[in-house]
Structures are given as structure tokens and as C-alpha cells.
Amino acid sequence: MAKSAIVHDYHHPQPGSTPTFTLDEKVQHAILQNGIERPKGYTVSYHGNPAVERQHFGEKHPMKPWRLTLTNKIVLAYGMHDAMDLYLSRAATHQELTEFHTEDYIDFLQRTTPDNFSVTPDDNRFNIGDDCPIFDGLYTYASLYAGASLDAARKLTNHQSLIAINWSGGLHHAKKSEASGFCYINDIVLSILQLLRHHPRVLYIDIDVHHGDGVEQAFWSTDRVMTLSFHKYCKETFFPGTGPLDSTGPPNPSNPGAHHALNVPLHDGIEDDQYTRLFADIVGPAVATYNPTAIVLQCGADSLGGDRLGCFNLGIKAHGACLAFVKKFNLPTLVLGGGGYTPRNVARLWAYETSLCIGAEVHDKLPAHTPFLEYFEDNRTLFPPLGQFNKRFENRNTPKYLQSLVVEIRESLRYVEGSPSVQMQHIPPDLGPVREEVDEEIRREREEEEGARRQRERGRGVRGELY
């Protein structure tokens, strides 16, 4: 029977051939254009909760959770979500938060609002102030970003992911019982504790412009975590004023944490080639020596050139090269955010680093359908020349100085190599919730030795250390 003249076969137009495509069709076109596909041989998971993005520290505060909205919009515009497992994370529970933080501090965060808060000598011990204000939704904000990091860590320990991403996490300054540097809950410490339930050794790497002091303090006396921080250091003028080269862990060589805190103190204005070479020259030997079974990488974006609070001249590709270097070790890796106070550049960086995690080579030009595209100035590219204009700093890092850092770090690593505790022949006493889950037979064998060592180490810790 002949077809009616008014009935025609429908041919769906190809993406890009009409100006009236839906957003979904435009994203599908971007997926094809950028070759977005699920990684072969490994899984990447992406964690977060949009409620975090809606929180507001205050009009003049440099921390803008809205940077996460911009990040996610770019990730979605390129179609990168199609290559990952996406998880809507729940808030961390009170019990989960107090695996590191004290009960009274968490209770304070939970009950305090702008309406009932007044600075008293008692409350001031929690370090609430201009840097760490009380705002509406504070506890929701902190428990949600911590919950996302815990969820990501669990996906790694359950072998559901090889790389797990939480850009809302990475808040590395928070201490056991106080807020610090825009950070209220130390999600990094909590997630490392989760990893330690299954992994004997975790390497923590921090490329924020500020020293990762909260994480270093938490694991100061254990050899099950090595902390490695690349940061600007000036004790008098740059927050937090910690992390000199000679701070390598407890000074007593009998303490398991000795030589397990590595610091790479940098001066203003370091450039792309210097930074990436230094990173490889130090991280490579650290991994080879310490032999971690999992890595946590804090990707603070304030180390980018032009950042509102930063002082380096790094471009987005150089920062991403550090992540790409870590990825080559093919170890379970938790990728976290951190600092970053020029939101459009934070979003560019974390979107690009998401593409590196999934192994995609995305186009330089931001997709035309990216929401808030007008917010991305300078030709709407993913890779503006951040180290070449705006807030450029004179480079005070000489080749001789950088080489001296490599030599000193490798010398410190020499004390780690061959250490029996690295092979997990001893469980340190400062990881209570982890130690309780260690095999019962090993626990009985070590009980007498453990008690003796606790007695010897009494009083050697520092404030903020994880017990």
C-alpha cells in the first residue's frame, strides 16, 4: 500500500544542524565532539550534594561555595558526567564526625546559628571569627562536604571506583576542636581514617598554596599516613605560617611518625615548568619509598596565577599535570578540592582535572551552551593565561633553591626506606577507630608491646594530634 503524501519518514536532525536543539541534545553533541566515554579498565566516581553550593559565608568573605556550581556546569556542558558514576552524597553523621573531632566542638557547630551566637571566652576556643564565621546552614554545609568525602573514600575501599572525586571537600585547615582558615570539618582526615580501615599506608599530597597543617597535625605520630605538602611558606606573613622544610614529623626517632611529614616550602611566583618538575622529582621518590596502597590528592586552586589569595603563577594545565602524574601510579585515589578564591578559574581547573581523571581530551573553548557562560571572561576558554597577566608575582624561586628542596626531601625519605613499620609490622596507637578493626589475632600478639609503647610515648604529642 502506498504511503500517504502527507505521511513522511521522520529523520531526526543530527546534533548541531539546527539552532533549536534542547540542552540534552547539545550535551550529547559535546560528548561526541570531545570523545567523552567511560574509561576503559577503571571507574571514576563523582560525589557531592547541590545543597553545599547554596551556602553563603557572607558578601565580603573570599570563600564562595558557588564555585562548585560553576564547576559542575562546565563538567555537565562537556558531557563528562556520562563517563562517571554520579553519587548524591548524604551528610556525615554526628558519630562519623566525632571519629576525629571532639564531641563539644561538633555539638557547638550543630546548635549555633547567627541568631544565638555571641563570642564568649568558652566559644572563642573554637576559633570562630572573621575567617570562620557562623552563618545560616553552617552545620549542613560542613556535614555535607564531609559526607561526600566519606562516600568517595568508601567507593575506593569497596573497589567500586579507582578514582573518586569530591570537589566540595579538601578543607585541610580544620583541627580536632577548632575551625581554621575557612575550614570547619576536616573531611580529609575523616576520609583517610576510612581508607585506613582497608589500606595499610595512605599518601596524602597537598598542592594548595597554603600548608596542609590540619592533616599533618592529625597524623603527626603515625607511619600509616605520609603527608606531603607543596605550599608558600612565610612564618610571619602567610597563613598558616607552618610547614618549613625541617618539619618532618616528631623529632624523637623512636616515634613512628618521624620523617613521615614532608614539607616543600616555596616562595612567591613559582612558574609552570618549575612546579611540575619539582612535583615529579619529589612525589616519584615518595611513592617509590613509602609504597602507599592509596593516595589522597588535595587540589587547592589557590595555587593558580591570579588567585585572590594566592601568590603563585601557575596555569591550569600545569596544576592538572600534577594530578595526571599521580594518576599514573594506578592506585586508588581520592581527589579533593580545597582553596581557590577566583571562582571562574577554580571551576575551569576542577573541570579540566575531572577530564584528566576520565582520560578525556576536551576542547579549549568552553561549550556555547555552558550556563553562566558570560561569567567566564577572556575569550571563554578553559585555559586562560593565568600566569601571564593580572596578579602576577615576581618569581623568587631560584633553580638552586628548588634543587635544594629535592635534595633535602630525598634525604628525609632515606630514613623511611626499609623501616619495618612501613611494612605494617606495627599498628600505631593513635588510630583508635582503625585499630579496633585490625585482625583479632594480630591484636592479641601485639597487646603487650602496644601497652609498653603507649607508656613510653605519653606526653610526646602536640595539640590537634589524632588519638
Side-chain angles (χ1 to χ4, degrees):
M1 180 177 176
K3 292 182 180 180
S4 165
I6 61 172
V7 177
H8 303 280
D9 291 330
Y10 176 71
H11 298 285
H12 193 285
Q14 292 301 305
S17 61
T18 79
T20 58
F21 278 113
T22 66
L23 180 59
D24 282 347
E25 290 174 314
K26 291 175 181 177
V27 170
Q28 287 301 315
H29 181 48
I31 290 173
L32 295 174
Q33 276 192 323
N34 291 280
I36 304 293
E37 59 182 4
R38 293 186 71 85
K40 292 179 174 60
Y42 69 99
T43 300
V44 178
S45 57
Y46 196 81
H47 304 260
N49 190 306
V52 174
E53 305 166 23
R54 295 193 289 268
Q55 305 307 319
H56 189 54
F57 278 60
E59 182 179 353
K60 295 183 179 180
H61 199 285
M63 176 62 92
K64 306 294 183 186
W66 187 60
R67 62 196 183 147
L68 299 168
T69 301
L70 293 177
T71 301
N72 292 332
K73 295 301 184 185
I74 298 177
V75 168
L76 291 169
Y78 276 110
M80 288 185 254
H81 61 287
D82 204 50
M84 301 183 286
D85 292 343
L86 308 180
Y87 292 96
L88 178 66
S89 304
R90 63 165 175 81
T93 65
H94 188 281
Q95 182 179 359
E96 288 170 330
L97 296 176
T98 53
E99 286 199 9
F100 171 59
H101 295 285
T102 59
E103 291 270 358
D104 58 343
Y105 176 57
I106 297 302
D107 289 342
F108 169 80
L109 292 180
Q110 194 165 17
R111 71 171 186 267
T112 306
T113 68
D115 293 333
N116 65 21
F117 175 67
S118 61
V119 179
T120 66
D122 186 57
D123 287 341
N124 197 44
R125 63 195 170 101
F126 299 127
N127 200 33
I128 299 301
D130 291 340
D131 279 359
C132 300
I134 297 295
F135 57 88
D136 284 323
L138 167 59
Y139 186 75
T140 297
Y141 165 76
S143 58
L144 279 173
Y145 75 67
S149 291
L150 284 169
D151 184 39
R154 290 187 182 107
K155 294 301 183 290
L156 296 176
T157 59
N158 294 338
H159 308 292
Q160 292 174 260
S161 306
L162 184 67
I163 300 174
I165 303 169
N166 172 28
W167 293 127
S168 68
L171 285 302
H172 58 174
H173 294 306
K175 309 302 191 298
K176 192 178 185 71
S177 58
E178 67 178 49
S180 178
F182 316 157
C183 307
Y184 298 87
I185 297 296
N186 201 314
D187 64 291
I188 305 171
V189 172
L190 294 172
S191 57
I192 290 176
L193 285 173
Q194 181 66 33
L195 292 171
L196 288 172
R197 296 176 185 271
H198 300 266
H199 290 277
R201 294 172 303 281
V202 175
L203 174 62
Y204 170 68
I205 306 171
D206 191 315
I207 55 175
D208 195 290
V209 76
H210 300 96
H211 178 228
D213 58 333
V215 184
E216 180 183 273
Q217 282 188 21
F219 299 107
W220 186 252
S221 287
T222 180
D223 54 5
R224 290 191 61 192
V225 179
M226 175 176 280
T227 60
L228 172 55
S229 179
F230 296 76
H231 52 269
K232 160 67 185 285
Y233 172 69
C234 180
K235 185 176 182 179
E236 293 78 20
T237 63
F238 197 79
F239 181 85
T242 55
L245 181 62
D246 60 359
S247 179
T248 60
N252 191 323
S254 66
N255 190 305
H259 304 289
H260 284 76
L262 303 179
N263 287 295
V264 186
L266 300 169
H267 305 312
D268 289 352
I270 191 166
E271 308 280 356
D272 289 354
D273 290 345
Q274 289 178 315
Y275 195 90
T276 54
R277 188 181 307 113
L278 180 72
F279 186 86
D281 287 347
I282 289 176
V283 172
V287 171
T289 299
Y290 186 57
N291 192 26
T293 55
I295 294 176
V296 177
L297 178 62
Q298 196 266 22
C299 299
D302 48 8
S303 46
L304 291 177
D307 186 81
R308 180 176 173 184
L309 299 184
C311 55
F312 291 167
N313 294 325
L314 299 184
I316 286 171
K317 288 188 176 181
H319 197 286
C322 298
L323 185 149
F325 185 83
V326 170
K327 183 186 174 188
K328 290 179 181 178
F329 294 111
N330 201 35
L331 291 169
T333 303
L334 176 59
V335 177
L336 301 172
Y341 308 101
T342 304
R344 62 180 177 272
N345 294 335
V346 176
R348 286 172 162 126
L349 173 69
W350 291 346
Y352 172 61
E353 292 184 335
T354 301
S355 76
L356 294 175
C357 288
I358 63 175
E361 296 184 11
V362 295
H363 292 173
D364 294 5
K365 205 80 168 179
L366 292 171
H369 56 272
T370 305
F372 308 111
L373 190 60
E374 69 280 0
Y375 191 73
F376 297 92
E377 302 166 353
D378 40 61
N379 300 320
R380 298 176 178 178
T381 176
L382 192 61
F383 306 112
L386 300 179
Q388 300 177 25
F389 62 86
N390 292 338
K391 189 181 171 185
R392 182 175 176 82
F393 284 81
E394 179 185 353
N395 186 2
R396 299 183 180 278
N397 298 275
T398 65
K400 182 179 179 180
Y401 175 69
L402 296 178
Q403 184 57 35
S404 73
L405 295 178
V406 175
V407 171
E408 289 295 328
I409 294 292
R410 290 184 177 182
E411 176 64 18
S412 187
L413 285 170
R414 196 169 61 83
Y415 292 94
V416 175
E417 194 165 16
S419 171
S421 53
V422 174
Q423 280 75 47
M424 286 302 295
Q425 294 181 12
H426 194 89
I427 307 298
D430 57 340
L431 297 173
V434 179
R435 190 180 67 251
E436 292 168 1
E437 297 190 13
V438 175
D439 182 83
E440 183 67 18
E441 183 179 353
I442 297 177
R443 190 195 65 79
R444 286 198 302 269
E445 291 176 355
R446 300 295 186 190
E447 187 172 359
E448 184 177 348
E449 179 185 353
E450 182 106 347
R453 188 160 76 84
R454 283 193 181 196
Q455 184 66 29
R456 291 195 305 270
E457 289 191 354
R458 184 169 297 169
R460 291 182 183 169
V462 297
R463 185 168 181 257
E465 191 171 349
L466 178 60
Y467 286 103

